[in-house]
Amino acid sequence: ELFFDSISKIWSNKFLTNNGDFHQQFEKRLAAYLGVKYISVFNNGTQGLLTALQALDIRGEVVTTPYSFVATANSIIWNQCQPVFCDVDPIFGNIDALKLESLITDKTTAIMPVHVYGNPADVLQIEEIANKHNLKVIYDAAHAFGVKVNGNSVLNFGDLSVLSFHATKVFNTIEGGAIVSHSAEMKERIDQLKNFGITDEVTVESPGVNGKMNEVIAAYGLLQLDAIDLMIKRRSNVAKIYDEFLSTVDGVRVLKQDNNVNYNFAYYPIFIDERMVGKSRDEVYEELKTYQVFTRRYFYPLISNFEIYSSLPTASITNLTVANELADQVLCLPMYSDMTSSDINRVLKAFKKIID
């Protein structure tokens, strides 16, 4: 009913897109909720990544992670840069800051880490390395909506952070995304780039794209914001039940949450040690389907193992041993805010039958 009221207002306004009233309200409320100064909403997160690289005029090599959705590396290629893959840490699957410096060359201009599953990357170490080598940092923060470290939004680190509001995310607008920036000047540049580079009726200053979010989706996002805290709380309750059950299962590792981080429970990844469980991750994945339990292997295959990237020097398995191991072990259990006790019990009952 509330959504239809919004649609009625949009129709009355006769303003369907291009920085309308709902769009402006949405950006203002998002910035306040997330604890950031400037935010520019997009029609999807991938356009956000593409535009972030353009906004900072990134060229040459960009050090990034293979343990992510393919859009991360694709955005680098689309900007005619070369991805350089860095291995990840064995606990959270975030880019391994200790291995970053060895990959930096005179062609490196930026670092693009990912806050995997909403767990913050080592932002302080990455910042130190970036400053030392005069590099830009763009965070792929697709999973990190509302995540804070010691009370400060993780989106306030780096030069830019890019969010995704895709339907699979904790906060979604069906399709959508945003770039968080730290100055009015940078927001203006981003907003110009997402509107074809247009500055006025007769002037185009940059080779921009059409990244605009329309009024209907912005209205939908405003309603989602009203419910987001409840959705995160429900996800947290699901995670607690999963934690309690899986803590006693040999050969299955769950992520330990950091008390200094306020999580959004974007996903619930587990890591299956075939030697202890007696079955591979893929066997568990397939057998769960027979119980109508559908999991996801986030992230498998690694980006670096796709044919379009596998020929890159840094895509070799020997360079990415930890990432390859995690990709072979990871399984994300069903996680959504409307999960009932019955849903959760069905997942765990099927899981127990398979690994016993």
Side-chain angles (χ1 to χ4, degrees), residues 7 37 128 148-149 163 201 211 219 238 342:
I7 297 297
K37 286 186 177 180
E128 183 178 322
K148 296 180 180 179
V149 182
L163 291 158
E201 288 184 10
V238 175
S342 176

Side-chain angles (χ1 to χ4, degrees), residues 59-67 72-73 76-77 81-87 95 99-105 107-113 303-304 309 312-316 319-320:
R59 298 291 181 265
E61 296 178 349
V62 179
V63 183
T64 190
T65 171
Y67 194 70
T72 306
I76 296 170
I77 294 290
C81 300
Q82 178 163 311
V84 174
F85 294 117
C86 180
D87 208 356
I95 198 166
K99 297 176 181 175
L100 266 176
E101 267 195 295
S102 65
L103 296 167
I104 294 171
T105 71
K107 296 179 181 178
T108 308
T109 56
I111 305 169
M112 186 183 281
I303 296 173
S304 52
Y309 292 108
L312 293 175
T314 54
S316 67
N319 182 56
L320 305 169

Side-chain angles (χ1 to χ4, degrees), residues 69 152 170 226:
F69 184 61
N152 182 25
V170 175
D226 291 336

